[in-house]
Amino acid sequence: MPAPSDSPTRTSSAIVGLECTFADRLPPLSVPWRGADAPEPTLLVVNEELAAALGLDVAALRSADGVAILSGAAAPADATPVATAYAGHQFGGYAPTLGDGRALLLGELIDVDGHRVDLQLKGSGPTPFSRGGDGFAVVAPMLREYLVSEAMYALGVPTTRSLAVVATGRDVHRTGTEPGAVLTRVAAGHLRVGTFEYAARRPELVQPLADYAIARHYPELVDLPEDDNRYLAFLEAVLDCQAALVAKWMLVGFVHGVMNTDNTTISGETIDYGPCAFIDAFDLSAVFSSIDHGGRYAFGNQPAALKWNLARFAETLLTLMAAEPDEAIGAATAVLGTFDDRYNRYLVEGMLAKIGLAGDVGASDLIDDLLALMSDHRADWTGTFRALANDLRGDHASLATLIPSEHSDPWLHRWHTALDVLGRDRGQTADAMDRINPLYIPRNHQLDAALRAATHGDFATFERLLAAVTHPFEYRGEWEDLAAAAPPSFTDAFHTFCGT
Ligand code: AMP
Ligand code: MG
C-alpha cells in the first residue's frame, strides 16, 4: 500500500532528538509511514508535567509546528515514523496480522531520568495494517484514554501515559459523524505478546526481538548466558510484572475490557484504554464492553485471561529455551505454574495494605470476609475503603450507608482486634489507608458526562474531573460530588465500546 497521496512530507522541529532503535534493529517488524493531513488541527489538552519529564519544550509543542506533529500532519524533522507489526489472539481467536492500523510510532525519547520511552500517535490515519478500518480516532474516546491513563498513573498503576489530544478538524464516520482526534501516547515500549506472536512466524526473528526486549525492559537479564536460561528468565520476568499489574487493576477496581494478547505489554504497563471502566459496586462478574458477550474479560476473570495470554507468549519463546521441544515445554510450563502464587501474593499484599494490615499475612480471612460483605451489599468498591478509614476515626456514618452496621459490626470487631494485636495506632492507620485508597477515580457516569460536554466544545467538566483523578487521594471539599458512586440504574445500563 503506497503512502496516502494527501499525506504531507511536512516536517517540524518542535520535537527533536527522537531515536528509532526498534525500527533500526528489527526492520521486518515495522513499515516507515506518515500520518494523514489534518484540515484544522486544534490542541485540546496537553500534559505539561509529562512534557517537562520528557525534556520537551511545552511552548514548542503548543505552537502551530508542534500541533502539526501531534496531529500526525507533520513528522518530527529528524525522525522516521513507522507503523509496527503485530499479531494477536482476540477473544481467543488468532489474528495473524493486526499491527498499527491507526497508530504511528514517531520514535523514542530519553526522558529526564534517563529512561527510553516511545512516542506514539493514535488516530493518525490509515496504514498498511488498517484492514477494513479508516485509520482514524475521534475526540471522546481519545480524551477518555487521556484521562483514564493519567488517572491510572496517579493511582500508582504502571501504564502508558498521555501527552496530548489534538482535534484534527476531520469528520470521521462512526454511528454518526464525529470530530476526528489524535492522541499522543507515551510508553516504556509498545512491544506486546502479539509482537512475539507475529515474529514467531519467521523463527529467525524471535531471538533478536527477545534480545531487544530484554535489553530495553529487563536489562538485569542481559548478562545471563543464553544456555543459562536467559529466555526462561525473560518469560518469568514478564509473567511477574504482568501478575503484579493485574493485581493492581483488581485493587483499584479496573476492568480493562479487551485483554487480547496484542494488548498485553512486555513492559508490564497497562495499554489501550478502549472499553475499560471502573467498577462501582464490588462485582467479580462486572463486564462493561458491548462486545464481551461471554464475559471473557469480566472483572474477576482478568487474572485467568492474563495467564492464558502468558501461555501464548511462552509458546513463542519455546525454540529459544531448549533444543528439545519437550524440555522447553516442561521448563515453560513450570514457570507458568508459578503464576497463581505470584498473583495471589501481590493481591493479598495489596488488600492487606488497603485495610491497614500491610505485612499481616495471617489476616487474609479478614479480606475474604470483607469481600463477601461488600458483594452481599453491593458496596461501592472505592468508597468502602475510605469509609473504613473514617470508621477507624470514629465517623461511622459513611460505612453505614454502604453496609448496614448490624452486618459490618462483627467484621469491624475482628479488624480492630487484628490492628490492636499488631499495636497499630488507629489514627495513623486511617491516614496510611487514605494514602493508598483513592477518593476520586474516573467514575463512569462522570466521565461520560465530561466527554459528552467536551465533544460539544465545553471542557470545564473534563478539566475538573481530570484534576481530581490525577490527585486521587487528596480530599477537597470542592470535589465532594466526584467521590459519589453512580446511581445503580446508570451502572446497570452502562456499556463501553472498542476501537471508536
Ligand atoms: P484495539 O482494539 O484498539 O486494540 O485494536 C485492535 C486492532 O484494530 C489494531 O490492529 C488496531 O490498529 C486496529 N484498529 C482499531 N481501530 C481502527 C481503525 N479505526 N482503523 C484501522 N485500524 C483500527
Ligand atoms: Mg490495541
Side-chain angles (χ1 to χ4, degrees), residues 86 90 98-102 122 129-131 133-136 174 258 262-263 272 498-499:
Y86 50 87
Q90 300 185 305
L98 292 172
D100 290 333
R102 56 165 173 174
K122 180 167 174 180
F129 301 107
S130 294
R131 297 171 292 149
D134 60 8
F136 296 113
R174 293 290 179 260
V258 61
D262 50 303
N263 291 334
D272 235 329
C498 270

Side-chain angles (χ1 to χ4, degrees), residues 63-87:
S63 72
D65 262 9
V67 175
I69 294 181
L70 300 175
S71 74
D78 54 354
T80 309
V82 296
T84 73
Y86 50 87

